[in-house]
Amino acid sequence: MHHDAHRHIGVLPAHPFYGGPPVHPDTTARATVKELVADLDREGTERALVLPNYGVPDPSVAFTFNELALEAAQCDDRLRAALWVSPRPQDAGRTEQALALAGEDGVRALKLSFLLGGHPTDPACRPQLDRIFATAEAHRLVVHIHTSPGAASDIDQVGRLVEWYGDRVRMHLVHFGGGMSGHIKLVGSRFFDWIDAGKQVYTDLSWAIGFAPHWLAREIERRGSGHDRVLFASDQPWGDFAGEHARMAAAVGDGELARRVFRTTFADLYD
C-alpha cells in the first residue's frame, strides 16, 4: 500500500489549446468522489491528497472544484484536500473565499500555481502571496506549488518563495523543478542547501525525467539528508499512476527510503 501526495479531482471543459480544436486531454479525470475512490481501490492507494483539477486558462474553473476536493476529504478518511488559491490580484475575492475554508476538516494544503497567471516576483502579486502564506502558517497547512521550466513556474522564480516563506511554512514543490534544468539545479545543490538552511521544503518527482529519481536517491544516501522530504505522487489525470509508481520504486528500492517516500512522509506532512 502507498500514499499519493498529488492527484486532482474535477473534469475540465474542452478547450482549444495552442490554437487547435477544443479537446479533453485529461482523459482519466474524475468528476465524482465515488469515481476517485474506485481508482484508489484499484491501484491499492491507501491515502491521497486531492487537489482541484486545472489546466484551461481560466482560474475560475479551478476555484469551482474546491468544494469537490473538500467533499472528498470529508466523506472518506483516506483523503485530504488542498484548496486552489491564486496570486493574481484579479482573483483576490475568490481566493478569500477559498481561504475561508482553510480551517475545515480535511483541509491540509493550499494549491498555488503560476500557470494560470501571476508571477512570484510581481509586486502586484505580493499582497496575495503574503495572505496565502499567512493563512497557511495560521492553520499549519502546506503550500503545494507547481514547478516547470521557464517563465513564472521556473525553480529560479519559485525558489524566491522558498527564501521568503520557507522558514515558517511547509512547502511542497511539485515535479521537482519540472525538467532537466530544474532537476540539475535541485539535486546539484539547491534542494539540500535549502534543507541545511532550515527551509521546510518537500518535493515529489511526478513528471521527472528518468535520471532524476535515481540521482536524487543516490545524493540523499551520500549526503545523509533529504530522505524525509520526498513523496510519491501520481498527478492523476496529468500523470500516469503506473508509470510514476514504477519509476520511483526502481529508484528508491524497498528499504527505509522507500518506506518514507511511499508512506511515512505523507503521514508526517498531511496528517
Side-chain angles (χ1 to χ4, degrees):
M1 301 291 281
H2 45 265
H3 299 171
D4 186 347
H6 176 190
R7 66 191 304 149
H8 299 273
I9 192 167
V11 175
L12 297 174
H15 183 77
F17 294 96
Y18 309 114
V23 293
H24 283 282
D26 55 337
T27 57
T28 59
R30 301 306 183 209
T32 69
V33 178
K34 182 178 180 180
E35 292 172 318
L36 175 66
V37 169
D39 286 344
L40 303 184
D41 292 340
R42 183 175 60 257
E43 299 162 358
T45 299
E46 186 178 14
R47 307 293 299 282
L49 180 73
V50 181
L51 305 90
N53 199 7
Y54 74 102
V56 298
D58 180 358
S60 66
V61 176
F63 279 108
T64 65
F65 294 137
N66 275 342
E67 292 289 348
L68 187 56
L70 185 58
E71 176 192 345
Q74 294 185 345
C75 75
D76 192 315
D77 190 53
R78 292 182 294 175
L79 304 178
R80 297 292 183 262
L83 302 173
W84 177 268
V85 293
S86 171
R88 303 191 326 150
Q90 305 95 303
D91 295 326
R94 285 177 293 204
T95 293
E96 281 301 315
Q97 292 175 351
L99 294 178
L101 302 173
E104 293 287 325
D105 289 344
V107 175
R108 293 293 185 274
L110 303 175
K111 175 63 178 183
L112 181 63
S113 175
F114 298 94
L115 288 182
L116 305 188
H119 194 285
T121 61
D122 182 352
C125 292
R126 190 61 185 266
Q128 285 297 105
L129 290 170
D130 286 345
R131 177 79 176 108
I132 289 165
F133 280 91
T135 300
E137 182 179 13
H139 291 276
R140 301 187 65 224
L141 303 179
V142 179
V143 179
H144 198 274
I145 308 174
H146 173 86
T147 67
S148 56
S153 296
D154 192 272
I155 197 63
D156 288 345
Q157 305 303 324
V158 172
R160 302 291 294 275
L161 303 180
V162 177
E163 295 164 6
W164 294 336
Y165 304 108
D167 290 329
R168 62 183 192 272
V169 177
R170 293 170 296 171
M171 304 170 69
H172 175 168
L173 304 184
V174 174
H175 308 315
F176 199 58
M180 177 73 77
S181 61
H183 298 340
I184 292 175
K185 290 172 184 177
L186 287 173
V187 185
S189 65
R190 201 169 304 180
F191 182 61
F192 297 97
D193 290 346
W194 283 332
I195 293 171
D196 291 344
K199 304 299 183 183
Q200 300 181 72
V201 61
Y202 297 77
T203 194
D204 70 59
L205 284 94
S206 56
W207 296 14
I209 297 173
F211 75 93
H214 290 273
W215 186 23
L216 177 59
R218 189 184 71 183
E219 283 298 294
I220 287 172
E221 180 178 4
R222 185 180 73 84
R223 292 171 180 262
S225 66
H227 54 282
D228 56 348
R229 303 299 184 95
V230 182
L231 304 104
F232 166 70
S234 71
D235 194 24
Q236 288 281 142
W238 302 105
D240 170 68
F241 173 84
E244 299 291 353
H245 188 277
R247 181 166 63 245
M248 284 305 298
V252 302
D254 58 2
E256 176 63 16
L257 180 58
R259 186 179 70 84
R260 288 180 177 273
V261 167
F262 285 107
R263 292 182 61 86
T264 58
T265 300
F266 179 101
D268 293 343
L269 196 59
Y270 291 116
D271 285 340

